[in-house]
Amino acid sequence: MNEIVPADRRCWSVSWPTYAPADITPPELRPAALARQVPGWAEAAATPADVHDWDRRRSAALVPFELDAQGWPLHPQGRTGRTGRNLGKWGENQAADPIVVAGVGRHRRVLLITRDDIGVEAIPGGMVDPGETAPQALQRELREETGVDLCDHQPVILGRDVVEDWRQSDYAWVASTSALYLLPATVTAVGADDALDANWWPVGSLDQLDAAVTAAGRTLYAAHRPLLARALTHLDK
């Protein structure tokens, strides 16, 4: 969560009369701009008050969330220090993160992309499209960002969790379905779409991956560290 929010103030049940989160809404999602043109990746609702299907959204959520007294969605993990919206939807935005691991033992490698928005090494993945299931999104995002087609592979679903995303706010956040794909050996991968690059990295352990990424002058996306750690725990059972 945002570091400006003390741990003892994150819970929504804790009174904080002077709480003043920063509005992170970009110009294209502000009410005046939405009245003129709605970006293709975003909903038209200028505020959560303009959303009328909260019952459906809550029942379909990967991670349960509550509404406040005015009917606005509340981040499941508490205050973030941010308000507004820098994501496609108010409330939960569902994502899919395919973790592709090839080989075993000291030959084990993980497929990561270089994100074009923040320039870090990350799991390929992205938002679930309207009408799309998480398994479909896992396959599509992997194919679009790396050229790797695993539609004939059955992944292991590792979890469905809120992700520490740099665009999150008190009223909009990301929850991801993370899944593990196992391959006997690496396959050709090429960065495309939202990926500047795609590479296989040594991943005998998270420390080994960290060292390799750092040695290459790159940075591992912090929000994906817990997902990668969980995949390694599953592999090392």
Side-chain angles (χ1 to χ4, degrees):
M1 306 295 286
N2 193 304
E3 62 183 8
I4 67 171
V5 179
D8 61 354
R9 297 286 182 91
R10 288 177 182 169
C11 183
W12 292 111
S13 63
V14 175
S15 177
W16 191 358
T18 59
Y19 178 53
D23 191 338
I24 63 167
T25 307
E28 64 269 24
L29 293 184
R30 294 190 179 277
L34 288 174
R36 294 191 302 270
Q37 180 178 4
V38 179
W41 51 271
E43 67 178 353
T47 75
D50 301 312
V51 175
H52 305 294
D53 64 343
W54 284 119
D55 287 345
R56 183 194 64 79
R57 295 192 188 196
R58 292 179 69 194
S59 66
L62 296 181
V63 178
F65 65 91
E66 301 296 328
L67 303 179
D68 66 11
Q70 61 180 333
W72 289 29
L74 293 174
H75 194 299
Q77 295 180 347
R79 297 182 176 97
T80 65
R82 307 179 183 97
T83 190
R85 171 170 66 112
N86 192 15
L87 289 161
K89 297 168 54 180
W90 294 102
E92 182 181 276
N93 291 256
Q94 291 192 16
D97 289 306
I99 302 170
V100 185
V101 174
V104 296
R106 64 187 181 88
H107 300 294
R108 197 162 64 190
R109 298 290 185 272
V110 65
L111 179 59
L112 300 180
I113 63 165
T114 305
R115 289 178 52 151
D116 68 355
D117 55 354
I118 50 179
V120 297
E121 302 307 295
I123 299 164
M127 296 300 173
V128 177
D129 287 341
E132 188 177 45
T133 66
Q136 291 170 336
L138 288 164
Q139 296 169 6
R140 175 183 55 77
E141 287 289 346
L142 184 61
R143 185 172 59 252
E144 289 178 353
E145 295 189 343
T146 69
V148 176
D149 189 342
L150 297 182
C151 63
D152 58 344
H153 287 65
Q154 184 67 36
V156 176
I157 302 300
L158 296 174
R160 297 173 176 87
D161 314 275
V162 173
V163 177
E164 180 81 10
D165 190 279
W166 62 278
R167 298 162 294 182
Q168 71 179 351
S169 74
D170 290 352
Y171 303 119
W173 58 91
V174 177
S176 173
T177 297
S178 57
L180 175 63
Y181 288 87
L182 296 176
L183 303 180
T186 60
V187 296
T188 300
V190 179
D193 193 38
D194 296 332
L196 298 175
D197 199 3
N199 292 287
W200 292 94
W201 297 87
V203 68
S205 68
L206 198 56
D207 286 343
Q208 183 189 31
L209 176 60
D210 263 331
V213 170
T214 301
R218 302 188 182 186
T219 303
L220 185 62
Y221 187 32
H224 285 172
R225 290 179 62 87
L227 304 183
L228 291 164
R230 183 161 55 190
L232 291 174
T233 297
H234 177 86
L235 289 170
D236 291 337
K237 286 182 180 177

